Amino acid sequence: GLLRIDHVGIAVADLDEALRFYAENFGLHCVHQETNEEQGVREAMLGVGDGSGPRIQLLAPARPDSAIAKFIDRSGPGLQQLAYTVADVEAAADALRARGLRLLYDTPKRGTAGSRINFVHPKDAGGVLVELVEPA
Ligand code: V0V
């Protein structure tokens, strides 16, 4: 099952500019940053409040053919995904497949900070790109 909201992902054109915007206007600061070559993203996790709850994930394209670049081209910057924490990403994906939802990957891929991730196609989840995250 879904344990909690892990993070909300926001597509941004420029990661450094977005980090400055979030710090200056909302007082939210980066707690983790990395480039994920496979996903074609530069990403930063921002903590909210005491940092114990869900995070904001800023996602910037690392190359022009990436999922985030395509999203920004079509929709502009903004909310791109909603991610839930799960204990076992394969079990969670199997349960959703059994209900007829399309998962994007046959086997989990590497996500932020060594997590294992998969996604439900947004067309099968009411227009929301749903991510499943099994933390490292
Ligand atoms: C596309 N659509 C979306 C959407 N992206 N709807 C809601 N939210 C989104 N993010 C809609 C789009 O408007 C079209 O609707 C339809 O889906 C297109 O479907 P498609 O042709 O099958 O797919 P594409 O080529 O538009 O690609 C969309 C998907 C792609 C979701 C398949 O973005 C993808 O593979 N995403 C998973 C990987 C990812 O997002 N990586 C970046 C984050 P109409 O026009 O047909 O109505 S990496 C990450 O989160 C990490 C590392 C982490 O959390 O650790």
Side-chain angles (χ1 to χ4, degrees), residues 7 39 57 70 74 80-81 104 111-112 121 123 127 131:
H7 62 266
Q39 292 291 333
Q57 183 183 42
K70 189 171 179 185
R74 181 161 44 202
Q80 190 258 351
Q81 57 168 263
L104 293 185
T112 191
H121 195 285
K123 290 294 164 190
E131 181 180 352

Side-chain angles (χ1 to χ4, degrees), residues 20-33:
R20 274 195 300 277
F21 178 88
Y22 274 80
E24 284 170 13
N25 293 286
F26 299 132
L28 299 186
H29 296 281
C30 182
V31 295
H32 176 81
Q33 188 173 330

Side-chain angles (χ1 to χ4, degrees), residues 7-90:
H7 62 266
V8 176
I10 298 173
V12 302
D14 183 308
L15 189 62
D16 297 320
E17 196 179 295
L19 282 168
R20 274 195 300 277
F21 178 88
Y22 274 80
E24 284 170 13
N25 293 286
F26 299 132
L28 299 186
H29 296 281
C30 182
V31 295
H32 176 81
Q33 188 173 330
E34 70 179 74
T35 297
N36 186 319
E37 296 291 349
E38 184 177 37
Q39 292 291 333
V41 292
R42 289 185 67 209
E43 58 116 333
M45 286 292 191
L46 308 182
V48 183
D50 68 4
S52 66
R55 290 173 172 180
I56 300 297
Q57 183 183 42
L58 302 178
L59 295 158
R63 28 167 221 276
D65 65 341
S66 60
I68 296 301
K70 189 171 179 185
F71 180 87
I72 291 173
D73 286 347
R74 181 161 44 202
S75 311
L79 289 177
Q80 190 258 351
Q81 57 168 263
L82 176 59
Y84 295 99
T85 310
V86 297
D88 179 338
V89 67
E90 272 141 338

